[in-house]
Amino acid sequence: MQDRDIKAAANIVADVLYRITRSEGRIHCSTERRILAVTPTKSSVGCGSHISGLGTVRRLQSLAADGWTATELARRAGKHKQFIVHLQNSAPSQVRLWVAAYVRELYSELKELTPEEAGLNPARIARGKALAASKGWLGRDYWDEEDFDDPAFQPAASDNLPRNDLAAVRRSDVEHLDSFGVSPDEIARRLGMAESTVKGIVKELRAGERRDRSKAAA
């Protein structure tokens, strides 16, 4: 964030801001609370700051593995196709904060939607999945949201299960626990899955829309 935005959001003056960044002296607890409560907003993420590119790259590769073409991702993000391709394949160690923000938003928009449901050409979806698989990219069934940004996390491919089989196992486990009235948050805790993923599966089950992901990925 730009200095002026930080000062306004935290309600502090320039002298306090720069004294804190230099680790000089003490600050009031109330000042600390105001600073810790500040979160970046869309209006403040274009300043050029860099963060780890790991989560950004993983999210884009995951979408590609599920059949989302770079063209469609670029269209939805309002960016150029080659920029999406560059991020997916170059795996930069760092990206601009605004890049990470729009990729995170894009993934959030698409994580409960399949390219088939969005009306993408089946042949292009199949080609995209095959290309992603050849590069070892793994789709959303291998990921929980918090794991994308964790450098210590390695996707569940180590289970030696094909992607579709792993998804089927996880779905079966969710269905079994849900049939006993276990809440989605408790299912997520027991299975080590994201609560949003569990809720999505439970929603499909209760709506009678048990999507066969293995067929969709074929």
Side-chain angles (χ1 to χ4, degrees):
M1 294 177 62
Q2 298 182 45
D3 292 357
R4 65 184 181 186
D5 294 329
I6 298 173
K7 288 186 294 181
N11 191 25
I12 58 177
V13 297
D15 177 66
V16 173
L17 171 64
Y18 299 129
R19 183 163 53 82
I20 292 172
T21 60
R22 293 192 298 266
S23 299
E24 295 176 357
R26 296 184 173 187
I27 61 173
H28 290 291
C29 290
S30 59
T31 301
E32 179 188 44
R33 285 195 295 270
R34 292 199 304 276
I35 292 173
L36 293 178
V38 174
T39 56
T41 62
K42 288 185 177 181
S43 62
S44 63
V45 297
C47 64
S49 298
H50 287 79
I51 64 171
S52 169
L54 181 65
T56 297
V57 172
R58 283 175 164 179
R59 286 179 176 88
L60 288 175
Q61 290 179 348
S62 174
L63 290 171
D66 282 332
W68 292 99
T69 65
T71 299
E72 179 64 12
L73 294 178
R75 185 189 70 79
R76 288 175 176 266
K79 307 299 177 183
H80 194 280
K81 171 187 173 181
Q82 291 305 317
F83 187 49
I84 299 295
V85 172
H86 167 74
L87 289 173
Q88 287 174 328
N89 290 279
S90 299
S93 59
Q94 290 190 319
V95 297
R96 300 276 189 177
L97 185 58
W98 60 266
V99 173
Y102 82 69
V103 170
R104 187 185 297 273
E105 184 176 343
L106 178 64
Y107 182 84
S108 179
E109 173 191 338
L110 299 179
K111 67 180 181 180
E112 299 299 335
L113 182 68
T114 68
E116 291 87 354
E117 292 169 337
L120 270 65
N121 182 283
R124 292 185 177 180
I125 295 173
R127 285 198 298 270
K129 289 181 177 180
L131 179 60
S134 71
K135 296 180 179 181
W137 298 350
L138 301 173
R140 59 184 170 179
D141 290 327
Y142 277 101
W143 298 94
D144 286 338
E145 178 63 31
E146 62 270 18
D147 293 328
F148 282 112
D149 300 293
D150 182 1
F153 176 79
Q154 292 300 321
S158 59
D159 290 348
N160 295 319
L161 284 175
R163 172 177 176 271
N164 298 330
D165 291 348
L166 175 64
V169 169
R170 298 179 80 179
R171 186 181 183 85
S172 176
D173 289 341
V174 170
E175 183 174 8
H176 175 72
L177 292 172
D178 179 62
S179 69
F180 285 94
V182 181
S183 65
D185 61 323
E186 177 63 14
I187 294 175
R189 187 189 68 77
R190 292 188 189 184
L191 300 180
M193 297 171 63
E195 187 175 344
S196 61
T197 301
V198 173
K199 285 182 176 179
I201 294 174
V202 170
K203 181 180 178 181
E204 289 180 354
L205 292 171
R206 293 178 180 174
E209 300 173 354
R210 297 175 55 181
R211 186 167 64 234
D212 189 338
R213 296 186 187 278
S214 63
K215 290 182 180 179

